[in-house]
């Protein structure tokens, strides 16, 4: 039984990763799961300088999921290179660094710094965070803007580039094609879906930011649909995510066309989810006599 | 060590309107400290996130933890339905807890307001015990000041075992009318340091009082959380100094707290 997958020339021991922003740089959940078991750790977004993020409340629960408006709080690339990368290097797992910025120059600065670090296998470019006013999603909702930033980052990146797409668009295939045309090596989707919750007793927004990104099992059918559409629109590989709670959910994404999957909000619900999904995919393969996990990719 | 595990409900009763008192059997009791909290997972899959609930009392020898909580929404409503013998999923023990060693000398205020009263109980118990056994803890007086809405002064009798108890109620039905600060003024109380937990307006008042009196105050904060373990960065508080995690001015209440030196946090 072979659980390896290869994305843009990078081989992963299995197709299970962590969704950016839900797993830090692995330190916190490393107390619960063996990071060596994961295909990759995808880090929380890192910018060129520290970001404070949004005011609180930053999180709220919704039916079958949650809203967040953290606002990409992060320590900046200097601390990240000194602390987080050496931490992750101790483990036998791939490192994918999520990169955020307010301007193209911000992204390029981080991408260039990460180019010095051979332990980083891939870069994931966050052009889809709905919770910051500048940058991020501003690049991810218009095809020409997405094309422009992808092309610019590709000029500077030493590692293969994953563009993380927003579901908050009219046509996901248009965005997927724009990223591919500009040279993206892979896509990841979906980021969170913009939502809102109002506390009727206090007559206030549940989040200080008013809107937030929705994640959790309730969004999974939307994510599966978008992964399927994107997989049929482009030839580059796709990392699928959105509400994955179990191995069955993960297999669904693989069948829809994802080459790998990421576990996000469910880490908060069950800190052992990542490894349970790894083991569950193996059990599924045994049950159905699947020799290579790659045989599942897009197999519907 | 933080772990998610199953535990068993030993008992549960409503001790004030919508306030429940539950004992849970779990080996997490062996490591639990006053001021730490548990994350309890509802069984209903529409309410996914764990509910952070403070630890009210610890019986390490009996592998038992007590929580006293108020029903605030769907998750705690479900929790309040649990019966003796029922299994419960929890993550713990979380947070730093109160720095007991700072209670070394003099008179101390232990202050709790509303559903911030419960975590003060184990603290009172341990300080009272340490007075007898730990030569470094020379607390002269434990002054417990508790604030409630009305005459439903839950846990009051438990506190009376550990120190002098003063009560404030919003409606004036018991003790001083008003809040814990009013009770301090009303009774002419003074102390050399403070441990406190309660709603944000109370903690702001405690912080201001401590600054004015030039005494130390350690306050336990709460905020909406998702993960409870420091990964999601949902539950931050503004800090005076740059925090060690994100190198901005945001400490994580779940892991750097929930107890902070009042001087270090900006809760305006």
């Amino acid at each position: 039984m072979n659980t390896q997958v290869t994305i843009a020339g990078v081989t992963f021991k299995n197709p299970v990763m962590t969704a950016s922003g839900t797993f830090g740089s692995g330190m916190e959940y490393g107390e619960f799961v063996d990071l060596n078991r994961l295909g990759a750790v995808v880090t929380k977004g890192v910018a060129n300088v520290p970001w404070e993020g949004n005011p609180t409340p930053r999180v709220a629960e919704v039916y079958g999921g949650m809203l967040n408006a953290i606002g990409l709080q992060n320590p900046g690339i200097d601390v990240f290179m000194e602390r987080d990368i050496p931490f992750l290097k101790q483990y036998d797992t791939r490192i994918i660094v999520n990169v955020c910025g307010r301007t193209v120059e911000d992204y390029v600065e981080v991408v260039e710094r990460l180019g010095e670090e051979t332990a980083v296998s891939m870069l994931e470019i966050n052009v889809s965070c709905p919770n910051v006013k500048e940058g991020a999603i501003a690049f991810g909702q218009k095809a020409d803007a997405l094309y422009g930033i992808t092309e610019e980052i590709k000029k500077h990146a030493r590692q293969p580039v994953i563009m993380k797409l927003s579901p908050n668009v009219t046509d996901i295939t248009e965005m997927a094609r724009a990223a591919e045309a500009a040279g993206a090596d892979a896509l990841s989707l979906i980021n969170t879906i913009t939502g809102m919750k109002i506390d009727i007793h206090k007559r206030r927004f549940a989040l200080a930011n008013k809107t937030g990104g929705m994640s959790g099992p309730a969004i999974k059918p939307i994510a599966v649909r978008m992964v399927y559409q994107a997989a049929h629109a482009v030839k580059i590989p796709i990392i699928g995510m959105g509400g994955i709670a179990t191995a069955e959910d993960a297999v669904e994404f693989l069948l829809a066309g994802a080459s790998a999957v990421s576990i996000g909000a469910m880490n908060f619900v069950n800190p052992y989810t990542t490894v349970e999904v790894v083991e569950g995919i193996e059990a599924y393969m045994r049950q159905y006599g699947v020799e290579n996990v790659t045989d599942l990719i897009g197999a519907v | 060590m933080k772990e998610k595990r199953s535990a068993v409900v030993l008992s549960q009763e409503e001790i004030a309107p919508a306030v429940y008192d539950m004992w849970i059997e779990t080996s997490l009791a062996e490591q639990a400290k006053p001021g730490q909290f548990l994350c309890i997972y509802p069984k209903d899959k529409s309410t996914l996130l764990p509910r952070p609930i403070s630890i009210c009392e610890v019986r390490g020898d009996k592998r038992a933890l007590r929580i006293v909580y108020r029903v605030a929404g769907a998750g705690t409503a479900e929790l309040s339905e649990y019966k003796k013998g029922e299994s419960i999923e929890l993550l713990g023990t979380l947070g730093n807890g109160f720095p007991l060693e700072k209670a070394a000398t003099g008179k101390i205020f232990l202050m709790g307001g509303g559903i911030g009263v419960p975590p003060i109980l184990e603290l009172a118990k341990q300080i009272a015990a340490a007075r007898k056994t730990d030569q470094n803890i020379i607390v002269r007086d434990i002054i417990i000041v508790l604030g409630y809405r009305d005459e439903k002064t839950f846990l009051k009798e438990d506190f009376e075992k550990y120190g002098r108890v003063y009560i404030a109620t919003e409606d004036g039905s018991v003790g001083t009318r008003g809040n814990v600060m009013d009770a301090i003024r009303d009774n002419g109380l003074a102390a050399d340091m403070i441990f406190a937990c309660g709603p944000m307006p109370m903690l702001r008042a405690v912080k201001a009082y401590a600054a004015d009196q030039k005494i130390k105050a350690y306050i336990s904060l709460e905020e909406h959380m998702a993960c409870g373990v420091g990964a999601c960065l949902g539950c931050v508080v503004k800090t005076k100094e740059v925090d060690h995690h994100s190198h901005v001015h945001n400490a994580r209440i779940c892991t750097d707290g929930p107890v902070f030196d009042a001087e270090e946090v900006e809760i305006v």
Side-chain angles (χ1 to χ4, degrees):
Chain A
M1 190 168 70
N2 180 6
T3 59
Q4 276 190 6
V5 295
T6 302
I7 296 172
V10 180
T11 301
F12 299 85
K13 68 173 76 170
N14 64 55
V16 180
M17 305 178 176
T18 61
S20 178
T22 65
F23 209 76
S25 290
M27 289 170 203
E28 293 80 14
Y29 284 111
E31 288 188 53
F32 297 92
V33 293
D34 180 1
L35 302 181
N36 297 304
R37 301 290 306 279
L38 307 182
V41 169
V42 183
T43 70
K44 170 131 183 107
V46 59
N48 56 335
V49 292
W51 285 17
E52 291 223 348
N54 289 327
T56 56
R58 291 176 167 186
V59 293
E61 187 173 77
V62 294
Y63 200 97
M66 62 176 288
L67 295 173
N68 90 79
I70 308 297
L72 290 170
Q73 177 181 322
N74 77 88
I77 189 67
D78 289 342
V79 170
F80 186 84
M81 296 286 272
E82 284 163 26
R83 180 186 67 188
D84 297 38
I85 296 286
F87 170 81
L88 283 168
K89 272 185 181 176
Q90 304 172 86
Y91 296 93
D92 177 26
T93 186
R94 292 284 185 187
I95 305 169
I96 299 177
V97 178
N98 184 284
V99 178
C100 57
R102 294 190 175 91
T103 65
V104 174
E105 292 72 31
D106 291 352
Y107 284 95
V108 166
E109 189 183 337
V110 179
V111 162
E112 288 189 331
R113 287 289 301 281
L114 290 167
E116 304 158 12
E117 182 49 80
T118 53
V120 175
S121 295
M122 298 182 88
L123 309 178
E124 181 181 65
I125 309 302
N126 183 352
V127 285
S128 45
C129 176
N131 300 323
V132 293
K133 288 186 180 66
E134 304 161 84
I137 202 163
F139 296 108
Q141 283 181 319
K142 291 204 175 77
D144 54 346
L146 178 63
Y147 183 97
I149 192 166
T150 306
E151 187 180 42
E152 192 60 27
I153 283 168
K154 275 300 289 176
K155 281 183 204 162
H156 299 271
R158 301 267 289 271
Q159 293 95 339
V161 169
I162 306 160
M163 297 304 287
K164 185 164 184 177
L165 301 187
S166 170
N168 304 306
V169 294
T170 311
D171 181 357
I172 194 73
T173 64
E174 186 193 351
M175 307 306 291
R177 285 196 192 94
E180 182 183 48
D185 300 288
L187 303 175
S188 57
L189 63 149
I190 60 175
N191 205 319
T192 55
I193 300 170
T194 313
M196 179 180 278
K197 180 181 181 179
I198 295 167
D199 181 331
I200 62 161
H201 304 291
K202 294 177 183 159
R203 300 194 184 179
R204 283 208 303 250
F205 297 100
L207 299 174
N209 192 53
K210 297 182 186 174
T211 61
M214 184 172 168
S215 57
I219 71 165
K220 196 193 74 178
I222 299 170
V224 172
R225 181 265 296 179
M226 286 193 162
V227 165
Y228 176 82
Q229 288 179 316
H232 283 259
V234 297
K235 293 192 172 62
I236 53 177
I238 290 167
I239 301 165
M241 68 201 72
I244 296 176
T246 63
E248 288 77 8
D249 296 338
V251 169
E252 214 177 322
F253 276 83
L254 297 174
L255 292 172
S259 297
V261 295
S262 288
I263 313 300
M266 283 306 287
N267 287 305
F268 307 153
V269 182
N270 172 9
Y272 310 106
T273 304
T274 47
V275 167
E276 287 176 9
V277 170
V278 170
E279 290 170 352
I281 290 173
E282 290 167 3
Y284 176 90
M285 291 172 68
R286 277 193 298 276
Q287 183 186 350
Y288 289 96
V290 179
E291 195 54 42
N292 294 296
V293 76
T294 50
D295 294 342
L296 296 172
I297 300 169
V300 287
Chain B
M1 194 181 152
K2 295 169 192 165
E3 278 183 89
K4 185 185 179 191
R5 52 172 80 166
S6 294
V8 178
V9 176
L10 294 170
S11 65
Q12 166 143 266
E13 61 172 319
E14 189 174 11
I15 55 171
V19 175
Y20 288 81
D21 180 353
M22 182 192 281
W23 278 94
I24 306 162
E25 184 176 16
T26 169
S27 54
L28 291 172
E30 290 160 10
Q31 64 183 41
K33 296 193 292 188
Q36 287 194 305
F37 64 99
L38 303 171
C39 270
I40 299 181
Y41 297 84
K43 292 172 186 170
D44 182 337
K45 293 302 174 205
S46 72
T47 47
L48 286 163
L49 295 178
R51 270 51 185 173
I53 296 180
S54 66
I55 293 167
C56 172
E57 215 179 327
V58 181
R59 287 294 301 270
D61 55 333
K62 295 199 166 166
R63 293 157 60 98
L65 289 177
R66 183 186 194 183
I67 56 170
V68 170
Y69 61 95
R70 178 173 279 142
V71 171
T76 40
E78 184 196 297
L79 187 57
S80 72
E81 299 292 319
Y82 292 176
K83 302 279 183 281
K84 182 182 176 181
E86 199 153 345
S87 150
I88 177 172
E89 287 291 309
L90 45 87
L91 177 68
T93 51
L94 306 177
N96 56 356
F98 286 103
L100 224 67
E101 70 283 0
K102 308 280 189 190
T105 55
K107 294 201 269 186
I108 60 170
F109 277 146
L110 302 183
M111 301 166 80
I115 209 62
V117 166
I120 301 298
L121 182 61
E122 179 64 21
L123 179 68
K125 184 168 110 185
Q126 292 202 12
I127 292 175
R131 278 175 93 179
K132 293 176 188 152
T133 56
D134 187 338
Q135 293 176 350
N136 296 318
I137 309 272
I138 318 159
V139 175
R140 280 193 286 125
D141 204 359
I142 300 173
I143 305 166
I144 299 162
V145 190
L146 307 174
Y148 299 93
R149 289 174 182 171
D150 50 35
E151 79 283 0
K152 309 286 188 198
T153 55
F154 54 91
L155 301 177
K156 176 170 167 278
E157 289 73 26
D158 297 72
F159 277 99
E160 284 165 347
K161 291 183 271 184
Y162 308 120
R164 283 193 284 143
V165 177
Y166 297 87
I167 303 287
T169 50
E170 285 173 23
D171 66 359
S173 53
V174 183
T176 302
R177 179 189 294 273
N179 58 35
V180 288
M181 301 312 301
D182 296 317
I184 285 177
R185 276 188 290 272
D186 205 32
N187 294 289
L189 303 173
D192 303 298
M193 70 160 307
I194 301 173
F195 290 113
C197 183
M200 203 53 100
M202 168 185 148
L203 296 180
R204 275 197 292 268
V206 168
K207 177 179 154 84
Y209 173 82
D212 186 54
Q213 299 287 314
K214 299 187 171 55
I215 60 175
K216 275 282 178 199
Y218 294 91
I219 56 176
S220 180
L221 305 180
E222 66 173 354
E223 182 53 78
H224 292 274
M225 294 180 183
C227 72
V229 298
C232 74
L233 309 183
C235 64
V236 295
V237 60
K238 287 277 165 215
T239 52
K240 199 166 77 177
E241 305 296 330
V242 165
D243 69 87
H244 70 95
H245 178 270
S246 295
H247 290 247
V248 285
H249 292 266
N250 284 333
R252 296 167 296 176
I253 290 175
C254 65
T255 38
D256 303 321
V259 181
F260 293 91
D261 180 338
E263 280 184 297
E264 298 299 316
V265 288
E266 290 171 17
I267 50 170
V268 284

